[in-house]
Amino acid sequence: CSSDLYEDHFDDANPWNRVQDYMDKKTVLPVKIEGVVNGGVIVMVEGLRGFVPASKLSLSYIENLEDYLLKDIEVQVIDVDQANNRLVLSARELLKEKEKAARDAQVASLKVGTVLKGTVETLQNYGAFVKLNGLSGLVHVSQISQKRVKMPSDVLTVGDEVEVKVIGIKDGKISLSMKALEEDKEKAEEKAEKVVIPKAEDIGTNLGDLFKNIQL
């Protein structure tokens, strides 16, 4: 029994077992970047030297790894190899989760019917993707204009600033329309035309009729 206790204590005291446990449980570890090496950075975990590859440090390409020196980051263990003294960590998955959570919150705050300004990001045969404050939505080719559009590139260019209306949100995907704004504008103009302002002489006549019926 005492040998079992000793074995458990020994296992727990072994930092390699602890980092293996961190990997199994996907534990989030706050670490400081201690050094920069070829292809990545060095951090210390449980007294062990861990390697974070440059590709696992950020969601985008890193121009200069030196910029990360002494930065505090959060990582997870992705590879443990005690025999070869190899401990590999990654920040990428955590950053992806944070980015997704931020995007989901932004999408949840969007309402159908909202009118926004955005920039044409990419053009496909089926429509145009428009960037809106960090989000991306699709203007389907049928929603670009009231006039028939064969190819989005016939009327739009990447980088164009456009005004769009949110017409649908499903499974985190945002559907946008430029055509709906044209229709809204036409309806507003039609409504304005229907409002007839009475002429001055009509107002005078109406007042005269009104006084005629009043017994003084």
Side-chain angles (χ1 to χ4, degrees):
C1 182
S2 60
S3 65
D4 286 350
L5 279 171
Y6 175 76
E7 209 169 82
D8 284 348
H9 178 72
F10 176 77
D11 283 351
D12 199 41
N14 183 344
W16 287 101
N17 289 339
R18 288 206 292 275
V19 292
Q20 179 65 51
D21 190 50
Y22 292 153
M23 183 167 83
D24 296 340
K25 291 177 180 169
K26 295 184 175 178
T27 305
V28 177
L29 304 167
V31 294
K32 189 185 281 288
I33 294 172
E34 309 273 350
V36 174
V37 292
N38 190 23
V41 297
I42 299 299
V43 299
M44 300 302 289
V45 179
E46 298 293 347
L48 300 172
R49 185 179 154 102
F51 177 65
V52 185
S55 61
K56 298 286 185 186
L57 194 54
S58 170
L59 294 177
S60 53
Y61 174 72
I62 298 167
E63 198 74 45
N64 186 8
L65 283 171
E66 295 286 343
D67 293 342
Y68 277 78
L69 193 59
L70 301 179
K71 264 194 177 182
D72 293 309
I73 60 167
E74 288 184 335
V75 293
Q76 287 173 309
V77 179
I78 58 169
D79 188 21
V80 176
D81 183 354
Q82 185 176 356
N84 292 302
N85 205 32
R86 178 180 157 87
L87 172 63
V88 185
L89 307 112
S90 172
R92 191 176 169 84
E93 287 70 24
L94 294 170
L95 292 170
K96 260 187 181 173
E97 281 171 27
K98 281 183 183 174
E99 188 182 64
K100 187 182 180 300
R103 187 187 183 279
D104 289 349
Q106 270 187 290
V107 171
S109 70
L110 262 191
K111 299 279 181 287
V112 170
T114 306
V115 176
L116 300 160
K117 281 188 178 170
T119 309
V120 176
E121 203 172 16
T122 55
L123 294 170
Q124 306 293 340
N125 293 344
Y126 53 83
F129 283 95
V130 175
K131 196 170 190 174
L132 319 152
N133 298 328
L135 294 175
S136 188
L138 174 68
V139 181
H140 189 266
V141 65
S142 63
Q143 291 295 327
I144 289 174
S145 175
Q146 286 178 305
K147 293 171 189 160
R148 191 170 176 274
V149 176
K150 233 181 186 179
M151 296 283 285
S153 55
D154 292 343
V155 289
L156 293 169
T157 309
V158 171
D160 281 356
E161 279 203 4
V162 291
E163 201 169 33
V164 290
K165 186 176 186 176
V166 179
I167 56 167
I169 301 165
K170 193 181 178 187
D171 302 328
K173 290 178 181 171
I174 305 162
S175 299
L176 305 167
S177 176
M178 292 162 67
K179 183 171 90 170
L181 289 176
E182 290 178 356
E183 289 166 353
D184 290 350
K185 194 178 174 186
E186 276 186 10
K187 280 178 195 166
E189 283 169 1
E190 279 171 22
K191 203 173 176 184
E193 280 169 17
K194 281 178 188 168
V195 176
V196 181
I197 298 167
K199 292 174 189 169
E201 54 265 33
D202 291 342
I203 294 168
T205 310
N206 292 340
L207 284 170
D209 293 343
L210 184 69
F211 285 119
K212 207 191 293 175
N213 299 325
I214 295 172
Q215 301 286 324
L216 295 171

